[in-house]
Amino acid sequence: MINLTIEDREGRRAPVEIPEGISLSLMEVLKASEYDVLATCGGMALCATCHVQVLEGPDQFFTATDTELDMLDTLPDAGPHSRLACQIHISEEMDGMVFKLR
Ligand code: FES
């Protein structure tokens, strides 16, 4: 299992367990876990409604890709550890990570 901790917009933290070997984005996992993530573009990095902030995890997950930065730049509340959840593909290296919904 890959164990994540998700902090919602009210600051409540809850665990999310993901089976290893599945091919999903973090956005899809959040939606499947009934978090309020609109994801209106369906994961194309075009809407920024899947904005999350990385709070804990391996270094490589803290840096957004260029595609993400184009969208994140349009958000007033994006910060240095902001990512688009649809552009984060679930992998075993993510075990133990903490994300905050924005
Ligand atoms: S779902 Fe639209 S940017 Fe991620």
Side-chain angles (χ1 to χ4, degrees):
M1 282 289 184
I2 301 165
N3 295 284
L4 303 181
T5 300
I6 306 299
E7 184 174 313
D8 69 14
R9 296 182 184 97
E10 281 73 50
R12 290 181 298 241
R13 287 189 177 201
V16 171
E17 285 191 349
I18 309 160
E20 285 159 27
I22 58 165
S23 179
L24 288 177
S25 69
L26 178 61
M27 174 275 277
E28 291 167 314
V29 166
L30 292 173
K31 282 184 79 80
S33 305
E34 304 198 342
Y35 280 101
D36 179 21
V37 176
L38 288 176
T40 46
C41 76
M44 305 289 288
L46 294 172
C47 70
T49 58
C50 66
H51 179 197
V52 294
Q53 187 177 10
V54 182
L55 298 184
E56 291 176 33
D59 286 352
Q60 72 267 30
F61 289 99
F62 283 85
T63 309
T65 61
D66 289 346
T67 312
E68 290 170 74
L69 287 173
D70 286 346
M71 275 315 302
L72 290 166
D73 280 348
T74 69
L75 297 175
D77 61 343
H81 300 152
S82 288
R83 300 287 313 265
L84 296 178
C86 67
Q87 301 302 304
I88 301 175
H89 294 280
I90 299 295
S91 66
E92 288 167 30
E93 312 166 271
M94 291 173 66
D95 190 41
M97 286 189 72
V98 183
F99 292 93
K100 179 177 172 53
L101 298 188
R102 299 306 306 259

